[in-house]
Amino acid sequence: MGGFFGIVSKAPCANTLFYGTDYHSHMGTKRAGLATMNEQGIIKRTIHRIENSYFRNKFEDELHEFTGNKGIGVISDNDPQPIVLRSHLGTFAIVTVGKINNLEELGNELISKGINFSELSSGQINPTEVVGHLITLGQTFAEGIQLVQEKIMGSCSMLILTPEGIIAARDRYGRTPVVIGIRRKNGHSPVESGDSKASSEAFLAESEPAEPAAFAETESTPNTDSGEITAIAFASESCSFPNLDFQLAGFLGPGEAVLARASSSCRATSLDEKYQSAELQGISSEEYAGWRGSLKMLLPPRQKLQICSFLWVYYGFPTSAYEGINVEEVRFRNGMKMGREDDVEVDTVCSIPDSGTGMAMGYAVGKGVPYRQAVAKYTPTWPRSFMPTDMERRALVARMKLLPNTDVLKGARLVCCDDSIVRGTQMKKNADVFFRNGAKEIHVRISCPPLLYKCPYLNFTTTRTHMELITRRYIHARMQELQLAGQEVQTQGESGSASGNRSSIVSVSGCQEPDMCRFIDHTTPEYRRMVESIRKEMNFTSLKFNNIEGLISSIGLPKESLCTYCFDGSGCRD
C-alpha cells in the first residue's frame, strides 16, 4: 500500500521529515525515499530499498545532506519514489499512494504526446512518474491534479514538493487518507485544554457526515493567542504526529487539494467541519485562522467518500485515526460486539499480533473471559511476514517471529482473534502450533467478513488473482461439485440483479461464477457451508467471521462512505 509524510516548516525540517516518514514503515516494505528543497529551489532526493533493512538504517547516515525547510518522504510497496520533474510548472518532486489499474494505457497516451519516461519499476513504467507527467499536462497544478483524478482507474493520493510549498491531494473518492497536523511555537496543542474526550465521543456518535460548508475565500489573519504556527504536516497516518509535536488538525476531503507554505499570506482552505479533527470541531473560524491561513485551496472536496474499511481492520496503526475515528477503538468495538454475541464456552482469549490484539481485548471484555498472551511476537531480528515475495520464505518468517507460550496454551479452550484470513496458510500453521503446544480447543474469530474480491484500489496484499483467496478456492470447488452433480448453477444474470452493481457473469479460472450474493450474505446456507469448509481445512475447533453490518457499525461511518469492495464487491466505479 504505502504511506507518505510531508512538512513545511519555518526551520530546517530534515529530522522531522526523517522520523515522520519512518512512522509509516508499517505501510510498506519495498522502497523508501526522501526529498527536500532548499531556498534556492534545489532538490535533494534519495531512494533506498528496504526489503532487508529498516528505514532508519538506510537514511540516518546521510540525513545531514537534506537541507531546507520543506520536504516529502514515502514508504512504498511499489515504485521508487520520490520522482523529480522539471516542467513548465517548475521543478517539483512528487510521491504517491494508491494503485493505477490503467497504467499501460496512460503511459501509451503520454508517449503519444512526446513524453519520455526515465524510471522503470519491475520492467514497467513507474506509476508515480506517470502521475507527475499527467500533472504537467495542466496549465496549473490544480488542473493537473484534477486531470489525474479523472483519468486514473484505481486510486491515487499525492504530495508535491514545489518552490512555493507542499501540495497535498487526496484520492477522488478518499480511499486513502491524508491527515493534517500543525505545530505551534508554544506547544503542539492548537486549542485550550478542555474535554477533548467528550468532543471525540460526540464526533463518533454522529451517524451521518455533515454537508460540505461554503468554501472560504477571504483573507485570514493569524491568531497568536494559542501560539505562532511553526510547521504544517501532511501524512497518511496520524500516529506520526504526537512525538513530533504536531496536533491532528483535520483530514482532506475526497478529491481535495491544498497548498501549504510557511507564510500565512495565502487564502483559507475549504477545510470544513466535516474534515476537521474532533477536538477542533465547534471552534470559531477566528480561532482557526492561524493554521487555515497557511493553506490555500486548490480543489474543493467532492461529495462522495469511499474510504477503505480495511484500514481500520488491518493496515492502520493503533494510535492513528481516519475521518476522526481511532483505529484501536474500532478494533476494540469489533471484538467486544463479537464477544457479547458469541455463545462458545472458552477459558481465555488471545490474538495473532499485532492487528488482532485490539479485537482480542475487546472480545475479552464482551465475553467476560481473560485476555492472555498465548503467542508473542519476536520482532528485533525479523521483518514483516508478507515482505518476501517467495511464499515459502514468507511462511517461514511468519512462523519464526511468533513464539507460542506453552504454559498458557496447555489444556486451554482458546479463542484466537485475527484481522483476516487471505490465503489461510499462516493461520493454519498457527493453529497447528497451538495444538502441538497443548491447546485443547482453538476457536478462531475474524474481525472482518470473508475476503471475496482482490482489491482493485490498494495494494494491501501480494494476492495476484482472486483464486489465491481461500474463499474463492472453495467457491470454485463448490461450483465444480455442482456441475459434476448435474445441478444448475444460478448466475447473477439468471437471478436478476441482487447485488445491483456487479456484472452478470464473471470468469473465474475459465468457469462461470455463481451468484456471489449467496456467499456474501452471512445468513445463507452457502455462506455457512463455505465457512465450515474453511474451518475444516484450517483444523479449527470453530470459526466465525464478523459480518459487514457489524464492521460498519464498529467504524461508525455510513455504508455509502466506506469502500467494502473486498468483502461484497460494492463501491464506486471509475
Side-chain angles (χ1 to χ4, degrees):
M1 180 178 167
F4 55 51
F5 183 90
I7 177 175
V8 174
S9 176
K10 293 186 177 181
C13 69
N15 285 331
T16 300
L17 177 63
F18 171 75
Y19 287 108
T21 305
D22 185 38
Y23 278 127
H24 289 78
S25 292
H26 61 289
M27 303 291 283
T29 58
K30 290 187 178 180
R31 293 180 175 87
L34 298 177
T36 56
M37 181 181 288
N38 63 19
E39 293 181 358
Q40 290 74 43
I42 299 173
I43 293 177
K44 161 65 179 175
R45 179 195 71 163
T46 299
I47 301 171
H48 286 299
R49 301 181 73 95
I50 56 172
E51 286 100 333
N52 298 303
S53 182
Y54 293 107
F55 172 88
R56 293 188 300 276
N57 298 341
K58 291 289 189 177
F59 288 90
E60 200 162 20
D61 290 342
E62 56 188 292
L63 198 56
H64 64 279
E65 300 175 13
F66 292 92
T67 60
N69 294 358
K70 53 184 177 286
I72 56 177
V74 66
I75 303 290
S76 176
D77 253 345
N78 300 301
D79 46 314
Q81 304 181 51
I83 297 297
V84 179
L85 296 175
R86 185 176 182 181
S87 72
H88 70 97
L89 296 174
T91 300
F92 65 91
I94 179 172
V95 296
T96 64
V97 168
K99 183 179 181 182
I100 303 175
N101 296 313
N102 57 335
L103 183 64
E104 195 68 26
E105 175 187 333
L106 293 175
N108 291 335
E109 178 183 337
L110 290 168
I111 290 172
S112 71
K113 296 178 184 295
I115 293 175
N116 299 315
F117 294 97
S118 61
E119 302 280 351
L120 289 177
S121 302
S122 303
Q124 68 175 3
I125 297 171
N126 186 302
T128 300
E129 188 177 13
V130 168
V131 173
H133 283 305
L134 284 173
I135 289 172
T136 64
L137 296 181
Q139 293 302 306
T140 65
F141 278 110
E143 284 186 13
I145 293 168
Q146 192 166 29
L147 182 66
V148 169
Q149 293 176 348
E150 292 170 355
K151 283 185 169 291
I152 280 181
M153 296 178 63
S155 69
C156 181
S157 294
M158 69 188 80
L159 296 179
I160 306 172
L161 177 63
T162 75
E164 191 175 4
I166 290 179
I167 296 171
R170 191 174 179 184
D171 168 68
R172 65 178 296 181
Y173 291 116
R175 291 188 175 103
T176 55
V178 179
V179 297
I180 305 169
I182 60 173
R183 179 196 285 164
R184 292 185 181 272
K185 188 174 182 179
N186 67 347
H188 69 274
S189 178
V191 293
E192 295 298 323
S193 60
D195 189 1
S196 60
K197 181 176 184 294
S199 61
S200 297
E201 290 174 348
F203 176 81
L204 291 173
E206 294 292 332
S207 59
E208 296 291 337
E211 292 296 323
F215 304 135
E217 284 293 330
T218 58
E219 294 289 345
S220 58
T221 57
N223 173 24
T224 58
D225 293 342
S226 54
E228 175 190 358
I229 295 173
T230 59
I232 294 179
F234 299 103
S236 299
E237 292 278 273
S238 60
C239 67
S240 60
F241 289 163
N243 284 354
L244 300 174
D245 287 340
F246 282 95
Q247 177 74 18
L248 173 60
F251 313 83
L252 287 189
E256 187 172 13
V258 298
L259 167 68
R261 49 191 176 188
S263 69
S264 59
S265 60
C266 44
R267 305 171 77 86
T269 179
S270 69
L271 207 66
D272 57 76
E273 187 168 303
K274 177 180 174 182
Y275 298 108
Q276 288 160 1
S277 166
E279 292 185 1
L280 298 183
Q281 290 188 28
I283 305 300
S284 67
S285 59
E286 289 78 9
E287 291 176 281
Y288 280 123
W291 69 273
R292 289 181 66 186
S294 293
L295 295 176
K296 179 182 180 181
M297 182 186 70
L298 302 182
L299 294 173
R302 297 172 182 250
Q303 293 288 332
K304 185 65 175 177
L305 174 67
Q306 284 267 280
I307 185 170
C308 173
S309 57
F310 206 65
L311 287 167
W312 283 280
V313 171
Y314 173 66
Y315 246 118
F317 199 74
T319 61
S320 286
Y322 312 121
E323 312 306 312
I325 302 172
N326 179 262
V327 170
E328 181 70 6
E329 286 293 328
V330 171
R331 293 173 182 170
F332 188 89
R333 288 196 292 264
N334 248 341
M336 186 164 61
K337 182 177 183 297
M338 291 189 74
R340 286 173 176 170
E341 297 173 353
D342 204 346
D343 58 2
V344 66
E345 293 294 328
V346 295
D347 305 311
T348 189
V349 183
C350 78
S351 69
I352 300 297
D354 292 312
S355 49
T357 303
M359 177 198 175
M361 290 180 173
Y363 185 99
V365 172
K367 185 67 175 173
V369 294
Y371 170 81
R372 301 292 302 278
Q373 200 168 6
V375 60
K377 186 176 180 181
Y378 190 82
T379 57
T381 58
W382 288 102
R384 299 182 72 186
S385 58
F386 66 77
M387 183 198 66
T389 54
D390 179 77
M391 291 187 66
E392 184 177 350
R393 181 167 179 263
R394 183 166 60 241
L396 175 63
V397 171
R399 178 186 174 188
M400 290 297 105
K401 72 177 184 179
L402 292 180
L403 301 177
N405 191 335
T406 304
D407 291 333
V408 174
L409 289 167
K410 184 177 288 186
R413 297 176 300 171
L414 187 72
V415 164
C416 182
C417 296
D418 203 1
D419 53 81
S420 60
I421 298 178
V422 183
R423 299 174 185 86
T425 307
Q426 294 181 13
M427 196 63 192
K428 177 176 171 51
K429 292 182 182 295
N430 292 335
D432 292 341
V433 170
F434 289 174
F435 280 125
R436 285 202 307 270
N437 282 270
K440 184 178 179 181
E441 298 175 3
I442 301 294
H443 303 271
V444 174
R445 300 296 180 260
I446 303 299
S447 67
C448 68
L451 294 168
L452 293 169
Y453 295 87
K454 178 180 178 292
C455 177
Y457 307 119
L458 306 173
N459 288 303
F460 69 75
T461 75
T462 56
T463 302
R464 294 179 176 86
T465 68
H466 287 319
M467 287 303 293
E468 291 186 39
L469 301 173
I470 191 171
T471 53
R472 285 303 185 113
R473 296 200 301 269
Y474 165 78
I475 293 170
H476 178 62
R478 173 65 175 159
M479 193 169 79
Q480 286 187 322
E481 176 187 326
L482 294 174
Q483 289 174 334
L484 289 173
Q487 297 182 21
E488 181 179 0
V489 179
Q490 186 180 29
T491 65
Q492 289 183 31
E494 294 167 336
S495 62
S497 184
S499 58
N501 57 7
R502 292 185 294 277
S503 59
S504 59
I505 298 177
V506 184
S507 175
V508 179
S509 294
C511 297
Q512 287 184 340
E513 180 178 323
D515 183 0
M516 290 299 293
C517 289
R518 294 185 293 170
F519 301 96
I520 294 168
D521 184 353
H522 68 279
T523 65
T524 66
E526 284 289 5
Y527 174 92
R528 291 192 292 270
R529 189 178 290 115
M530 177 181 68
V531 173
E532 175 61 13
S533 175
I534 295 172
R535 182 201 69 78
K536 289 181 179 178
E537 180 180 339
M538 306 285 278
N539 195 31
F540 303 151
T541 307
S542 71
L543 170 64
K544 289 184 180 179
F545 291 85
N546 198 359
N547 56 57
I548 291 178
E549 293 79 13
L551 177 60
I552 292 170
S553 174
S554 294
I555 293 173
L557 289 175
K559 170 69 165 67
E560 59 268 21
S561 295
L562 293 167
C563 180
T564 57
Y565 181 90
C566 55
F567 309 127
D568 62 3
S570 70
C572 294
R573 294 295 185 269
D574 298 294

